[in-house]
Amino acid sequence: MNERPRRRQPIRGIGVKAANEVRRAIGYEHPTEMEIEVLAYMRGALVRSVPARGARANLLRVGERGVIGVGDRLSPEERRWAIAHELGHFEAHAGVSFLGLCSSRDMVSAYETSGREPEANAFAAELLMPQDLFAKRCDVARVTWDPIRGLANEFQVSVTAAALRFVTFTADRVALVCMKDAVIQWCSATRDFGERPARGARVPAWSEAHAYFAGREASTKPETVSASAWCDDADDDEDMCEHLLPSPRLGSALSLLWRKT
Amino acid sequence: MTKTRRELEALTEALDDVPTSEEEDRATTAALGVDVAKMAADIRSKIADADKRERERRVEEARRAYAAEIERLERRRIEAKPTRDEQLAVFRSLIARVPAQAVAMHFHKYESASDEELAELIRALRHLLGEDE
């Protein structure tokens, strides 16, 4: 039968546990103490730069050893993340073989439906931004891009990666919205944020992001906007803080939303 | 009783595994002028320093070994311009040399991998298999 395989639900704890095991085994305090290439090597994975057209990185494992090929056009932060992600597969999915299917469409299907990508991402997040170091830094006076940039610099990750991790640990009501060509691509929010901006929806009018995509002058400072612009469940008189981070080169932007109440 | 004998008995008594109370321990260390908290902190600090030095030594060793292995891998030549079918055949023959459960590959969009990417995968696989050039 050509029935599509059922998706195995990801268990992010697998990735987190594996990352903590790596840290315990090597014994470092802060993840930037050593190059990630050396860290991976100490675990049995050899990192090398390769020309990569589609994929950012790949992993080939034979027994206890592996080679991580990482695209040669990535920024240093993207490179660190890509290596950590593949190391996550190496550490957390050591008993998994996809090779029996590697030359067919099934291989891709099995891979994509396995639910293991979020586990490798959870590994990368914990490895590069350990909870015990990162979470305490998420208690900030004002939710803006400034403290998040500081975290990104300290942990040598992209601003987006740091922002997603920030949303995981902050006690504030925060959402991170990624938009491209005035359409919402994805949104990550704290549990208590309320109704989230929907994926695929147009960027709402009366938001800073809307002004940016409309080609008008948009503020890149934290601005107070009506919460109802972004959230259907907001009262008309509720305000929220929106801090826009545009990426003109990619035609995209990130909005950091903070509901202060 | 000779002095040596007395000393030996005192030593035996001291080494005897007689349980002592916490109060007795405190009194003894106080009488000897030992600051237990400071002594413990000193020991912890020395252990932490030794651990750090040992970690730095291991990292430095790994750094050198990593550089050497990368050099070996990059020296491995890529065969000149094989066709895609030939590359796939080589790849599959290398894979076939290892038990299925001992090999894994996480390669997104494998089917759209370019010839160059495939050649690099073959080079990496040969390196992992320890195949001579």
Side-chain angles (χ1 to χ4, degrees), chain B residues 60-71:
Chain B
E60 192 50 45
E61 199 173 274
R63 214 170 256 142
R64 282 196 296 272
Y66 169 65
E69 189 167 346
I70 276 288
E71 195 183 334

Side-chain angles (χ1 to χ4, degrees), chain A residues 50-55, chain B residues 82 84 87-88 107-122:
Chain A
V50 292
R53 192 179 58 186
Chain B
R84 187 172 184 82
Q87 286 207 85
L88 285 169
F107 193 98
H108 302 215
K109 301 176 185 172
Y110 173 81
E111 288 177 320
S112 60
S114 66
D115 290 353
E116 198 177 15
E117 286 170 331
L118 199 52
E120 292 295 348
L121 277 174
I122 290 169

Side-chain angles (χ1 to χ4, degrees), chain A residues 25-29 33-35 37-38 41-42 46-55 57-63 65-67 79 85-86 89-90 93-99 102-108 111 117, chain B residues 55 58-67 69-70 72-74 78 88 91-92 95 98-117 119-130:
Chain A
I26 295 181
Y28 59 86
E29 288 293 320
E33 274 176 35
M34 71 186 81
E35 307 90 317
E37 292 85 351
V38 175
Y41 187 74
M42 291 174 88
L46 183 71
V47 177
R48 61 187 296 248
S49 295
V50 292
R53 192 179 58 186
N58 60 68
L59 165 69
L60 192 59
R61 179 171 58 77
V62 175
R65 298 178 65 223
V67 172
R79 179 183 166 88
H85 176 97
E86 297 303 329
H89 286 306
F90 185 77
H93 306 140
V96 182
S97 174
F98 295 99
L99 267 183
C102 73
S103 61
S104 70
R105 182 174 295 277
D106 291 342
M107 181 264 169
V108 177
Y111 186 79
E117 290 307 294
Chain B
R55 192 166 69 243
R58 283 190 293 121
V59 169
E60 192 50 45
E61 199 173 274
R63 214 170 256 142
R64 282 196 296 272
Y66 169 65
E69 189 167 346
I70 276 288
R72 279 202 305 279
L73 193 157
E74 301 304 342
I78 293 179
L88 285 169
F91 190 72
R92 288 187 190 118
I95 291 298
V98 199
Q101 286 307 315
V103 190
M105 186 175 69
H106 298 265
F107 193 98
H108 302 215
K109 301 176 185 172
Y110 173 81
E111 288 177 320
S112 60
S114 66
D115 290 353
E116 198 177 15
E117 286 170 331
E120 292 295 348
L121 277 174
I122 290 169
R123 174 146 77 166
L125 190 52
R126 283 191 158 136
H127 182 78
L128 284 175
L129 292 172

Side-chain angles (χ1 to χ4, degrees), chain A residues 1 26-27 43 84 86 121 123 151 165 213 222 239 241 247 261:
Chain A
M1 297 288 285
I26 295 181
R43 301 297 294 172
E86 297 303 329
N121 282 332
F123 175 94
L151 288 165
R165 195 71 167 155
F213 283 110
D239 288 338
C241 180
S247 297
T261 52

Side-chain angles (χ1 to χ4, degrees), chain B residues 27-38:
Chain B
T28 304
T29 51
L32 291 170
V34 176
D35 183 340
V36 177
K38 183 176 178 301

Side-chain angles (χ1 to χ4, degrees), chain A residues 32 63 71 73 92 96 98 114 118 130 133 144 155-156 181 205 207 215 226 260:
Chain A
T32 58
R73 292 183 186 171
V96 182
F98 295 99
S114 68
L133 301 178
T144 71
F155 290 90
Q156 295 175 16
D181 300 328
S207 64
S226 170
K260 297 180 194 174

